[in-house]
Amino acid sequence: MSSPLRTSPQPPTLDDEISALQSKTSTLLTSPSTLALLSSDPKLTSQSSLHQSHHLQTLYRTCATLTLFRAQDPDPNAVDAGSILGLRIEVVSRAKFLRPYYVLFNRPWASSSSLPGPQRKWLRVHRHTVPSCIPLSGLAARYLPSPDKDDTRRKQDLGKFARGVRREVVRYHARLGTVADLRKAAGLGRGGDGGDKSGLVDISPADAEVRHVSVEWGDGRTGRLVIGDDGEVEKLVVVGENGRDREAGRELLGGLGLAGTVKAEEVVRRLAGTGGA
Amino acid sequence: MSRISVPTTAPLPSSLRVNPSSTTVTKILSRLSRASLISVALDWLDEDNLSLATPYLRPDQDDDEEEDDGDFYPPASSPEELREEYLSLQNRKGSKRDVLDRITTGDWRHGVSLYQLAIADLQYLYDHPTSQKWSAYNIVPLKAPTEDDDGEVQPLEADKTSLTIPRFHPSLFLKSLQAQILPDIKAHYNLDRHKTLPLLILRIFVIDSPYNTPLSLSSNGKMDTGSKTILIAFPDGSPNIFISKPTSTGPTGASESKSLRALLVEGIPKALSLPRQRVTLQSTSLTTRNLEGLLDRRGATRGNAAGGGWSIYADEKVKESPLSTVLPSPPLSDAAEEEEQGNGDKKRRERPTVEERVNKRAKLVAQARFGDTARVGDGKGVERVDLVMEDPFEIGGDDADRMDIEGEDDGEEAFRPNVRLTFHGSHVFAGIRQLVECGVIDGEKMPGWMTGEEGVTIGAVRNGRIRGHKGSGL
């Protein structure tokens, strides 16, 4: 954080200095030796405990990646007096934490007298920021069904739901990253037409979920690559002028084996290899 | 061109030329501005489009000079020459009439192809983004058909637990949509990417004729009496679809254009379905003229099910990395702190007057309820919101029997008057936000549906909430 400040020719702005200082004080405030010194000042101890709990929270967020929090619905007519349970899903893409995705639940059956007690506490997805290409409603219908007093076998499982959403979100971002890597390996996407060695002119996602990737060659051949759940190339079809071009498909996979056993990352590595040679 | 017309199920070819004097052509072209007309003509003359929009050129033998004498718009000898002609028109001043005449009686006197009409129509959409009224539909998977004991196939139900996201393949979709269209009407399809928004626009131009020859398009044919245009937009990365209201030329009844839309709403899911993977369209109660607003609520963004004040959770600009060691400041905290200080020091400094504090408080409340949405200039407004109130009327004692003219009484204990609310304006929710900021509406007591967080424009309010939460998609 401080290295760009030192190397930059302009003097650091006040904001930079403040943020650098803030991160230092935060670390200082929570270190055991300072804690011992602070114990006499109530204002500083409360500040320090704030920082400590924040550190604990970020630790959980970093390592567990699924965290819960409480929130308040501002709507005066909200069910259950506006109590909201929030689920925070952390996503890492390209070695950076993205803005987490949120799913916010409420308890619409809290005051319904016809339901047995435990079912009144059941959750329902109220708001969420998960992109529409994640089958959130399907997962909610599976793991967070609405209560039914006649059907006692019904169960809600927030843990399974959260894990399911997280799995889909992570897969989605992994696929997005793979397509970006494929483009990079083929020398596409940085303005120039590139791709002379591989002959590829375009690689782009072809559907909302980025499961299908369309591949285009300079000579008019087009292909479709299907990425599976675990990042394997499920299917690959290349169509040239005279129908299906199996040769080109094998070439793209680089003799790594049949489609279905090859990982998409291996194709990336192979493309990058030929591009560099 | 063939002399006999044979009924066919094929679509209308893009290269089919329409008589330039027909009402459809004049209607489509004359509503464009002069600048747009010229840019459309230049678009037609583009290398890629030339094969489908060939202008009328001078024949190769240059000996018939006398023929040109009476010609007001002498034909050009090459597309390049024509292109330069239009480029110079662009720099000159003149009337729209001149350009229109030049196109219809000069350079494209032998006919304007359906493809050209499609380009011109889309240009109108770019010039007037609010010219179409769009309805958003959600594409949802269906359960596999089941049979009951008598062997009858049960009506298909939406598969709520399905985890597949419907996929859209343009050319496959067109092919199967054509199979769904009845053989006694002919349609021309044109797919185009929207210039600025992440959308794929399909324009369907329908005429009531079983033939796909120029005869069916001739001026005394069916074209002028019953041609209809409908636009379908496919947002990128989102299992939603926007369908416009059909516009028609000629005296077609409202019921007819409604039935065309119904036909399409029925045909589109069949065309989108894949073997063993059927889908259906579900209305999402969102209708607006603003495509950008639609994309914001039904596109590939985070804000689809987090409108209004919830948008703080969807804002991607906010950095919230778990690796940051700095204590986060919750939204509005800086402002809230300032106000608290203001409260405490009021007596000593006497700076903020009561009015100022009330104003500031109203602004803060508006920020809390609306977040960063519903700003006047954000271009994401809806122009009409219709709501039905289904809440019982709170009777204050003696005026219980005062109004039962329009009210439908729901038993003894609850009186539910039939109240319908319609908000109308260029940006309905920005208007409500402004009212909250001025303190006309009490932002803290305002019900949630007034913030637009449900993302619907048609809804029924019960217990102070919009029923069903269709907007959230759950």
Side-chain angles (χ1 to χ4, degrees):
Chain A
M1 243 207 143
S2 54
S3 60
L5 293 183
R6 252 177 263 142
T7 51
S8 63
Q10 292 105 0
T13 63
L14 199 60
D15 283 346
D16 289 340
E17 277 185 39
I18 291 174
S19 67
L21 275 175
Q22 267 180 339
S23 59
K24 268 180 210 156
T25 43
S26 174
T27 330
L28 265 177
L29 273 173
T30 46
S31 76
S33 53
T34 357
L35 276 180
L37 284 171
L38 291 177
S39 54
S40 54
D41 190 336
K43 202 177 171 191
L44 279 173
T45 9
S46 78
Q47 189 68 16
S48 150
S49 67
L50 252 179
H51 278 272
Q52 256 182 331
S53 57
H54 174 65
H55 281 205
L56 191 65
Q57 193 200 37
T58 52
L59 188 68
Y60 271 105
R61 280 181 57 192
T62 320
C63 303
T65 70
L66 283 173
T67 41
L68 289 168
F69 60 97
R70 281 163 191 266
Q72 175 67 36
D73 192 335
D75 187 350
N77 300 319
V79 288
D80 192 20
S83 307
I84 296 283
L85 179 70
L87 171 67
R88 195 192 285 113
I89 303 163
E90 308 285 340
V91 202
V92 184
S93 172
R94 318 201 132 230
K96 264 187 192 146
F97 277 99
L98 299 180
R99 176 95 212 255
Y101 289 109
Y102 294 96
V103 185
L104 303 157
F105 307 93
N106 59 4
R107 286 187 296 199
W109 302 284
S111 57
S112 119
S113 49
S114 61
L115 289 169
Q119 290 200 348
R120 287 182 212 167
K121 290 192 172 171
W122 280 18
L123 300 167
R124 185 170 165 282
V125 176
H126 182 46
R127 300 274 183 261
H128 66 86
T129 66
V130 179
S132 48
C133 52
I134 306 289
L136 190 79
S137 53
L139 287 167
R142 281 184 188 194
Y143 301 122
L144 300 174
S146 47
D148 184 353
K149 62 179 172 215
D150 303 324
D151 188 358
T152 45
R153 280 174 304 157
R154 252 185 218 199
K155 264 189 206 157
Q156 283 203 334
D157 194 333
L158 183 62
K160 272 189 183 165
F161 172 78
R163 282 197 294 276
V165 176
R166 184 184 165 273
R167 191 181 303 127
E168 291 295 332
V169 166
V170 169
R171 277 177 184 165
Y172 168 67
H173 277 279
R175 286 194 297 265
L176 269 181
T178 308
V179 173
D181 287 346
L182 274 174
R183 287 182 65 88
K184 212 170 158 190
L188 299 164
R190 257 166 288 143
D193 51 351
D196 304 325
K197 293 140 202 154
S198 50
L200 292 163
V201 289
D202 191 30
I203 299 175
S204 55
D207 68 342
E209 285 182 288
V210 204
R211 276 183 199 277
H212 286 226
V213 181
S214 79
V215 187
E216 276 175 43
W217 277 265
D219 54 7
R221 285 176 296 169
T222 55
R224 217 17 118 85
L225 195 139
V226 183
I227 305 179
D229 275 343
D230 299 322
E232 76 275 12
V233 178
E234 237 172 38
K235 286 171 197 162
L236 176 70
V237 177
V238 182
V239 179
E241 266 177 42
N242 311 314
R244 191 162 168 182
D245 190 345
R246 290 172 196 276
E247 195 67 33
R250 264 189 298 256
E251 197 189 311
L252 189 71
L253 292 181
L256 292 164
L258 293 165
T261 56
V262 184
K263 292 266 179 195
E265 296 107 75
E266 288 167 17
V267 180
V268 174
R269 233 168 283 145
R270 204 198 60 76
L271 267 180
T274 51
Chain B
M1 286 179 204
S2 59
R3 290 224 186 117
I4 3 170
S5 299
V6 184
T8 160
T9 52
L12 292 168
S14 283
S15 54
L16 199 63
R17 291 207 190 100
V18 186
N19 186 352
S21 60
S22 75
T23 27
T24 313
V25 176
T26 28
K27 203 173 169 186
I28 290 178
L29 292 182
S30 60
R31 59 183 187 170
L32 292 174
S33 68
R34 183 175 185 272
S36 298
L37 263 180
I38 295 173
S39 84
V40 161
L42 284 170
D43 223 8
W44 291 346
L45 291 168
D46 196 84
E47 291 285 345
D48 299 336
N49 299 334
L50 208 56
S51 58
L52 293 173
T54 336
Y56 183 77
L57 298 175
R58 197 203 312 251
D60 279 340
Q61 49 273 54
D62 266 343
D63 48 355
D64 44 0
E65 284 291 318
E66 73 274 16
E67 208 188 39
D68 284 358
D69 290 342
D71 204 341
F72 198 68
Y73 298 109
S77 58
S78 71
E80 287 75 33
E81 192 188 320
L82 211 53
R83 213 170 290 149
E84 268 166 33
E85 180 67 36
Y86 277 98
L87 278 174
S88 71
L89 269 178
Q90 208 163 28
N91 301 325
R92 245 183 287 152
K93 270 187 184 159
S95 75
K96 185 176 106 178
R97 195 77 241 162
D98 287 347
V99 186
L100 189 64
D101 278 348
R102 190 182 169 96
I103 288 172
T104 52
T105 62
D107 300 324
W108 281 276
R109 67 185 79 174
H110 60 337
V112 180
S113 73
L114 287 175
Y115 180 69
Q116 285 172 284
L117 286 182
I119 293 184
D121 222 14
L122 279 180
Q123 180 65 39
Y124 184 73
L125 180 71
Y126 297 138
D127 291 348
H128 306 266
T130 54
S131 61
Q132 296 284 342
K133 198 167 187 180
W134 304 88
S135 296
Y137 291 85
N138 195 2
I139 308 171
V140 284
L142 282 173
K143 275 185 191 159
T146 49
E147 288 180 9
D148 63 1
D149 303 338
D150 306 334
E152 270 182 43
V153 179
Q154 298 288 304
L156 296 171
E157 281 177 50
D159 188 359
K160 282 183 188 152
T161 56
S162 162
L163 298 184
T164 48
I165 299 288
R167 208 172 24 249
F168 166 68
H169 190 275
S171 56
L172 205 63
F173 170 74
L174 273 191
K175 218 170 159 187
S176 32
L177 185 64
Q178 175 57 35
Q180 296 295 325
I181 297 266
L182 299 176
D184 61 341
I185 54 172
K186 280 285 146 295
H188 170 247
Y189 308 99
N190 185 53
L191 267 169
D192 214 341
R193 272 211 79 79
H194 195 281
K195 268 184 193 166
T196 48
L197 303 172
L199 284 173
L200 195 69
I201 291 187
L202 171 65
R203 175 183 180 270
I204 307 179
F205 176 77
V206 186
I207 55 164
D208 277 339
S209 163
Y211 312 110
N212 67 347
T213 55
L215 201 63
S216 62
L217 298 175
S218 64
S219 53
N220 52 0
K222 292 276 188 185
M223 176 135 166
D224 291 338
T225 53
S227 71
K228 288 175 219 81
T229 314
I230 192 163
L231 294 172
I232 302 174
F234 298 90
D236 289 356
S238 161
N240 288 300
I241 177 171
F242 311 146
I243 304 178
S244 82
K245 227 178 187 173
T247 50
S248 57
T249 59
T252 43
S255 62
E256 205 175 322
S257 76
K258 248 186 201 163
S259 72
L260 174 72
R261 190 193 178 109
L263 201 74
L264 276 168
V265 170
E266 221 167 85
I268 288 168
K270 286 176 187 153
L272 279 169
S273 295
L274 298 169
R276 306 192 63 80
Q277 196 182 319
R278 300 192 198 189
V279 297
T280 187
L281 290 189
Q282 263 179 5
S283 164
T284 60
S285 309
L286 178 61
T287 303
T288 172
R289 291 183 174 275
N290 188 346
L291 261 183
E292 209 177 317
L294 265 181
L295 271 178
D296 188 49
R297 290 173 180 85
R298 297 282 184 276
T301 57
R302 291 182 177 214
N304 283 2
W310 304 103
S311 62
I312 53 163
Y313 288 108
D315 191 359
E316 285 193 61
K317 280 178 216 136
V318 179
K319 290 274 178 292
E320 214 189 338
S321 166
L323 299 179
S324 150
T325 51
V326 182
L327 212 58
S329 58
L332 307 179
S333 62
D334 290 356
E337 245 170 55
E338 261 178 47
E339 182 163 274
E340 264 180 31
Q341 276 179 0
N343 275 344
D345 303 345
K346 184 185 63 178
K347 278 170 193 162
R348 264 168 277 159
R349 283 195 245 153
E350 289 186 338
R351 236 196 293 156
T353 62
V354 178
E355 201 180 330
E356 271 172 7
R357 279 197 296 119
V358 169
N359 275 346
K360 201 170 173 188
R361 173 94 191 144
K363 282 226 168 68
L364 267 176
V365 169
Q367 178 66 25
R369 294 303 300 274
F370 290 93
D372 272 329
T373 63
R375 300 268 188 204
V376 177
D378 64 0
K380 289 168 184 165
V382 291
E383 73 287 332
R384 191 189 160 105
V385 178
D386 293 289
L387 292 162
V388 183
M389 306 298 292
E390 291 183 349
D391 275 339
F393 187 72
E394 282 175 27
I395 301 157
D398 54 327
D399 53 353
D401 50 358
R402 199 190 294 163
M403 38 173 110
D404 44 354
I405 312 143
E406 267 205 301
E408 42 159 13
D409 220 314
D410 207 60
E412 286 299 312
E413 80 286 354
F415 166 57
R416 295 176 201 276
N418 189 357
V419 179
R420 280 157 203 278
L421 290 174
T422 299
F423 297 92
H424 213 284
S426 57
H427 192 329
V428 167
F429 293 113
I432 297 178
R433 183 182 182 136
Q434 279 184 328
L435 288 177
V436 173
E437 281 175 355
C438 319
V440 179
I441 298 174
D442 184 348
E444 282 164 271
K445 290 185 186 156
M446 178 178 70
W449 49 263
M450 284 177 81
T451 63
E453 60 187 51
E454 304 280 353
V456 294
T457 56
I458 304 152
V461 177
R462 182 167 279 185
N463 298 330
R465 299 183 298 273
I466 287 189
R467 265 194 319 177
H469 297 279
K470 272 185 185 164
S472 309
L474 292 166

